[in-house]
């Protein structure tokens, strides 16, 4: 038992000596994420993406933004399955978001792009079909926000 404890202590000392920092540790990059103001295009998907990004970044509305994140979203929907009457049974929604992070105090902006694909089933009832499409858009926006957050963490951790 003592050997296992000693090995655990030695392993933790070795990891701390190599400069390892956990990705989700409170660092300057982590606190900077809270001070990114998000701007998206003025449509349903842009609104959903902005909502998801503000949640993912834990945006502090009371603090002065250090960065401005602007995004542009493009979506493409294509039918996958067909019924006998040639109506679609499933759709594939591909959403591409290009983003640019600009320091508020000036400096070189950082940019990137992420693409997400989701699928959803259609229904015969019009309301159910609209709800399914909106659910697909919401899932795509949530995944894009997660991927963009990871990109931002990496960009802010590199000096």
């Amino acid at each position: 038992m003592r050997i296992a404890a000693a090995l655990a202590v030695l392993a933790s000392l070795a990891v701390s000596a190599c400069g390892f920092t956990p990705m989700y540790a409170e660092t300057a990059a982590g606190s900077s994420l809270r001070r990114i103001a998000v701007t998206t295009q003025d449509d349903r998907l842009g609104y959903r993406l902005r909502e998801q990004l503000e949640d993912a970044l834990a945006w502090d509305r009371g603090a002065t933004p250090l960065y401005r994140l602007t995004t542009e979203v493009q979506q493409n929907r294509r039918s996958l399955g067909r019924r006998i009457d040639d109506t679609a049974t499933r759709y594939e929604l591909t959403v591409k978001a290009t983003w640019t992070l600009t320091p508020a105090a000036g400096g070189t902006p950082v940019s990137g792009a992420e693409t997400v694909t989701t699928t959803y089933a259609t229904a015969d009832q019009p309301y159910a079909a609209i709800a399914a499409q909106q659910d697909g858009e919401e899932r795509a926006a949530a995944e894009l926000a997660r991927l963009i957050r990871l990109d931002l963490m990496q960009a802010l951790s590199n000096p």
Side-chain angles (χ1 to χ4, degrees):
M1 188 65 145
R2 288 185 176 176
I3 294 173
L7 287 175
V9 170
L10 286 175
S12 66
L13 288 174
V15 168
S16 66
C18 74
F20 172 77
T21 304
M23 181 179 242
Y24 296 106
E26 247 336 287
T27 61
S31 63
S32 296
L33 289 176
R34 297 178 52 90
R35 297 182 65 186
I36 297 176
V38 180
T39 305
T40 58
Q41 60 201 40
D42 193 23
D43 62 4
R44 177 187 306 277
L45 189 55
Y47 173 77
R48 295 284 186 208
L49 180 59
R50 188 184 82 230
E51 229 179 18
Q52 292 288 336
L53 279 169
E54 288 175 352
D55 287 347
L57 300 174
W59 184 42
D60 184 2
R61 295 179 190 276
T64 305
L66 297 176
Y67 299 93
R68 177 157 306 279
L69 178 68
T70 56
T71 62
E72 184 177 322
V73 183
Q74 299 170 346
Q75 64 176 320
N76 183 24
R77 187 178 79 147
R78 88 181 166 106
S79 60
L80 292 178
R82 297 266 179 201
R83 295 186 184 121
I84 292 175
D85 63 353
D86 202 32
T87 58
T89 58
R90 291 196 68 75
Y91 283 98
E92 177 182 78
L93 178 67
T94 302
V95 182
K96 180 181 181 182
T98 55
W99 57 268
T100 304
L101 182 69
T102 308
T108 307
V110 179
S111 60
E114 290 293 344
T115 303
V116 170
T117 301
T118 61
T119 61
Y120 59 92
T122 60
D124 292 332
Q125 297 83 12
Y127 178 77
I130 292 170
Q133 180 178 353
Q134 289 177 354
D135 178 65
E137 291 174 352
E138 181 73 26
R139 287 184 289 124
E143 183 63 13
L144 279 172
R146 187 186 73 78
L147 293 172
I148 291 172
R149 179 179 183 268
L150 290 173
D151 289 347
L152 294 174
M153 289 175 72
Q154 184 176 12
L156 292 174
S157 68
N158 294 332

